[in-house]
Amino acid sequence: MLGHSIKTMLAAALSKTALSDALIVGQRRLRGNAFVRAVNYHGTIPAHAQQLERQLAFLAKHFRGVGLTELLALLESGEWPHAKPGLLVTFDDGLRTNFDVARPLLEKYGFTGWFFVPVGFADCATSEQQQYANTHDIRSRFSYDDGRVCMSWSELKELSARHEVGCHTMQHRRMPPSVAPADMRHEIIDAKRVMESRMGREIPTFCWVGGEEENYSALAASLIREAGFRAAFMTSSGVMTRGCNPLQIQRTNIEADWPVDVVKFQICGAMDLLHRTRRTRVNRLTAG
């Protein structure tokens, strides 16, 4: 796995030669427009808003937003009547800064946001949320005066009118094979049921916690299918086209404070090659 400092150096080198830009354009020449990429963010604190806007402005030149209906139509039948490929802009952990900072910028640049929320985090009392984040490996890097760091259910309902809101387990838990079946069922089956009750609508999307290969398991994948999720998100960087499994949407990590050169490097295809072997193993393990 490439460290961030190495990525930054490689990205700068590719940017000087305009190679990353050429590779991004080359993907469209090779594939046409009928493909989607997925990227994932975490927190989007106010101090990073300008940099996030630079990223989204760049991404909007090459991609368009994608909702669930469009995504499934592409993967199932190849339907894609658009002049640009799609980009799924996803956010893990349900952080309040996503609502306050990322949401208006997504809407400014025409992107659909996909927000994945740990149910227990949203259910947590305001006074306990920062401690919850600290003990559940959620990177909350901004403090509000009232102490609330997770989006509220009312904010999530508001988001769902224009964006996609999905399940990120019950307690932000990784699910390697060592997790007991009953606990996995709670993190997937029960989480979907509770989230649907809170939201008052179907929750058709799921996101695994952690992108490490050892934190995927065949049992968890079977429970995602049993729960009836229509799309599930992983983190092994790859392009999605017709025929790809909607329960194996592969994302590439980006963070809001990264330079645009690094964003270009992340989506130019280099990370797809780097993750190819791991992606193949993960997809084989979770295919059912």
Side-chain angles (χ1 to χ4, degrees), residues 141-183:
R141 299 168 60 188
F142 183 77
S143 298
Y144 288 87
D145 290 342
D146 64 3
R148 182 169 63 85
V149 293
C150 184
M151 285 186 275
S152 67
W153 289 113
S154 62
E155 287 169 339
L156 290 166
K157 289 177 182 178
E158 182 179 340
L159 269 182
S160 69
R162 183 164 179 175
H163 302 278
E164 304 288 347
V165 175
C167 180
H168 199 34
T169 74
M170 183 71 81
Q171 301 292 351
H172 197 252
R173 184 169 185 174
R174 287 165 166 80
M175 292 180 292
S178 58
V179 174
D183 292 337

Side-chain angles (χ1 to χ4, degrees), residues 47-114:
H48 299 156
Q50 289 186 338
Q51 189 59 31
L52 176 60
E53 180 163 12
R54 293 187 189 101
Q55 294 176 6
L56 293 174
F58 165 76
L59 292 167
K61 293 178 181 178
H62 297 277
F63 300 93
R64 72 181 307 279
V66 187
L68 179 61
T69 300
E70 290 177 307
L71 172 64
L72 295 177
L74 171 64
L75 300 186
E76 293 170 3
S77 66
E79 180 183 344
W80 189 256
H82 305 296
K84 296 178 184 177
L87 186 72
L88 293 88
V89 187
T90 76
F91 299 83
D92 291 1
D93 302 343
L95 290 162
R96 182 177 174 182
T97 57
N98 296 160
F99 185 86
D100 292 341
V101 177
R103 175 187 55 88
L105 292 174
L106 291 168
E107 293 172 3
K108 178 178 179 179
Y109 289 97
F111 286 112
T112 298
W114 297 62

Side-chain angles (χ1 to χ4, degrees), residues 270-281:
M271 298 305 292
D272 302 352
L273 292 174
L274 182 65
H275 288 86
R276 181 178 179 179
T277 301
R278 186 183 82 171
R279 183 172 64 248
T280 299
R281 289 195 299 261

Side-chain angles (χ1 to χ4, degrees), residues 3 16-17 34-35 44 49 64 121 138 149 152 168 191 220 242 285:
K16 286 181 179 179
T17 63
F35 69 90
T44 51
R64 72 181 307 279
F121 192 25
I138 294 173
V149 293
S152 67
H168 199 34
R242 180 179 183 176
L285 174 67

Side-chain angles (χ1 to χ4, degrees), residues 167-209:
C167 180
H168 199 34
T169 74
M170 183 71 81
Q171 301 292 351
H172 197 252
R173 184 169 185 174
R174 287 165 166 80
M175 292 180 292
S178 58
V179 174
D183 292 337
M184 283 196 186
R185 180 170 288 274
H186 180 64
E187 296 293 334
I188 299 169
I189 304 287
D190 293 347
K192 185 176 192 290
R193 175 181 52 78
V194 173
M195 192 169 190
E196 289 177 339
S197 174
R198 301 286 188 270
M199 292 290 290
R201 63 187 300 171
E202 180 192 7
I203 299 297
T205 58
F206 178 87
C207 181
W208 295 74
V209 175

